[in-house]
Amino acid sequence: MPVYFAYHNKALFSFATVGQKIEWMRANPRVCVEVDEIVSPQQWVSVVVLGRYEELPDTPEWQSTRAVAHKLLEKSAMWWEPEYVESSGPRPLVPIFYRIRVDRMTGHRAVPRPGGIA
């Protein structure tokens, strides 16, 4: 499922509202995130992150971590929009900030060969 995130101190920080994605991560906090940047069929980068989901609740002990997440995420205009777009059914629009602590990261890339032959 698509997410917007920011990487900081070996963790991915993100935000969502209650829905299937959050329910799945709550049920099984061992998660995998794949990030792809595709320029063309011959030029792309794919990174896979394996880690552990951790909610950042709106409580006093988590306020500084939530503030870091918010500051990182707000660097992108409209960072909150994908989660507040009309959904197929009613759901609470309560923000859930979370991080995924990175355990392992791997990836692949393709670059065009000189002369344009793939």
Side-chain angles (χ1 to χ4, degrees):
M1 294 184 188
V3 296
Y4 175 77
F5 67 89
Y7 180 78
H8 178 69
N9 285 346
K10 297 184 181 179
L12 301 178
F13 289 85
S14 192
F15 147 88
T17 57
V18 174
Q20 190 68 57
K21 174 174 39 207
I22 293 297
E23 290 172 10
W24 283 341
M25 291 190 295
R26 284 175 173 168
N28 182 1
R30 302 292 300 162
V31 298
C32 174
V33 177
E34 181 175 342
V35 179
D36 299 309
E37 180 181 350
I38 301 169
V39 176
S40 72
Q42 294 78 33
Q43 186 176 355
W44 51 266
V45 175
S46 182
V47 176
V48 176
V49 172
L50 301 170
R52 181 169 293 276
Y53 169 79
E54 180 180 33
E55 278 189 37
L56 309 175
D58 192 7
T59 59
E61 61 268 22
W62 288 96
Q63 286 307 310
S64 64
T65 307
R66 284 174 62 95
V68 168
H70 190 271
K71 186 174 182 170
L72 291 166
L73 292 167
E74 74 181 0
K75 290 180 181 180
S76 175
M78 307 297 275
W79 61 273
W80 49 268
E81 189 176 54
E83 290 301 328
Y84 281 118
V85 172
E86 185 76 28
S87 66
S88 59
R91 63 180 183 167
L93 295 178
V94 177
I96 297 171
F97 286 89
Y98 63 92
R99 70 180 161 199
I100 296 172
R101 291 184 179 267
V102 176
D103 293 330
R104 193 166 60 112
M105 206 178 324
T106 186
H108 296 281
R109 71 177 172 178
V111 292
R113 290 185 180 195
I117 300 172

